[in-house]
């Protein structure tokens, strides 16, 4: 069975500092991994995905994520945080051989960037 | 391109009443999803359509929830009768195909409050 864990409910970081939002997963085989961001009163917005290939994936708004197969992790990172990055971040996983395309989401991490 | 449209944005009803939500996916997207997002949790898939057929409805509480996508474009999700625990944000998403690595695009959601 697929599962995703986001161990931190809340991450606080000062503006200009690097940020990391953690995600670990459990899935049979090689996963598809996604990060989404949710701003207040808005739907989820796609940031980036890992399908195969280079373990470092670059996405929107300067975000990147590193796939680590041995640690079953897919942490989201950004070198320099902006106040506008404050939002709720969701990691999601999907098993690629399933006929269905649904995603299993983590419980989310609220990122607060402090000016 | 236009995004995923949902209406209404907010709905307040009393328990045992009925409610319906509407979704229009991105043009050309064959796959449509309905998710339930309870406060403090990640989205949970309720049902997935491929064109006008159901691919996965294993998490849909079929005694009270129903959904249709009759012409393979827009979709309606209905709850009848509603319970207090149905209070949540209902998200609609779409993707180009199912089974591939495509990301899903989400609408703004409908926030349902059941009193």
């Amino acid at each position: 069975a697929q599962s995703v864990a986001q161990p931190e409910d809340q991450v606080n970081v000062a503006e200009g500092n690097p940020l990391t939002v953690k995600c670990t997963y459990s899935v049979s085989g090689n996963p598809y991994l996604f990060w989404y961001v949710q701003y207040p009163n808005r739907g989820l917005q796609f940031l980036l995905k890992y399908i195969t290939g280079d373990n470092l994936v670059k996405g929107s708004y300067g975000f990147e994520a590193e796939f680590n197969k041995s640690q079953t992790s897919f942490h989201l990172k950004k070198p320099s945080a902006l106040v506008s990055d404050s939002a709720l971040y969701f990691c999601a996983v999907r098993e690629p051989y399933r006929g269905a395309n649904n995603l299993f989401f983590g419980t989310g991490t609220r990122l607060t960037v402090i000016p | 391109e236009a995004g995923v449209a949902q209406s209404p944005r907010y709905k307040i009803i009393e328990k045992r009443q009925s409610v319906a939500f509407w979704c229009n996916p991105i043009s050309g997207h064959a796959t449509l999803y309905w998710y339930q997002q309870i406060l403090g949790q990640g989205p949970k898939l309720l049902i997935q359509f491929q064109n006008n057929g159901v691919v996965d409805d294993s998490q849909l509480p079929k005694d009270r929830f129903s959904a249709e996508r009759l012409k393979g474009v827009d979709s309606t999700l209905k709850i009848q009768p509603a319970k207090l625990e149905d209070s949540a944000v209902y998200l609609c998403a779409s993707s180009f195909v199912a089974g591939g690595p495509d990301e899903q695009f989400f609408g703004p959601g409908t926030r349902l409050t059941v009193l």
Side-chain angles (χ1 to χ4, degrees), chain B residues 76-111:
Chain B
T76 302
L77 176 69
K78 297 179 181 178
I79 307 175
Q80 180 179 13
K83 293 185 175 181
L84 297 177
E85 59 261 36
D86 297 332
S87 294
V89 176
Y90 291 85
L91 296 166
C92 179
S94 69
S95 65
F96 188 60
V97 294
D102 291 352
E103 60 269 26
Q104 296 177 18
F105 294 85
F106 286 80
T110 296
R111 183 177 298 277

Side-chain angles (χ1 to χ4, degrees), chain A residues 11-72:
Chain A
V11 170
N12 297 325
V13 63
E15 185 178 23
N17 283 2
L19 69 87
T20 299
V21 182
K22 296 179 180 178
C23 171
T24 59
Y25 65 90
S26 175
V27 67
S28 300
N30 296 318
Y32 292 159
L33 294 158
F34 301 79
W35 276 101
Y36 285 82
V37 60
Q38 188 172 35
Y39 296 100
N41 299 316
R42 296 179 66 177
L44 278 72
Q45 184 174 341
F46 170 75
L47 277 180
L48 51 79
K49 65 183 177 183
Y50 172 82
I51 304 302
T52 187
D54 194 347
N55 289 343
L56 185 63
V57 178
K58 294 187 182 297
S60 306
Y61 312 119
F63 284 94
E64 58 189 26
E66 185 168 12
F67 171 63
N68 187 317
K69 187 172 183 178
S70 62
Q71 297 184 5
T72 62

Side-chain angles (χ1 to χ4, degrees), chain B residues 47-85:
Chain B
I47 188 167
Q48 176 185 341
F49 292 94
Q50 178 72 15
N51 296 312
N52 61 351
V54 175
V55 175
D56 185 350
D57 64 355
S58 57
Q59 299 296 309
L60 188 73
K62 298 180 185 64
D63 58 333
R64 297 183 303 105
F65 286 64
S66 65
E68 60 184 14
R69 193 185 184 200
L70 294 177
K71 297 182 179 179
V73 181
D74 58 348
S75 175
T76 302
L77 176 69
K78 297 179 181 178
I79 307 175
Q80 180 179 13
K83 293 185 175 181
L84 297 177
E85 59 261 36

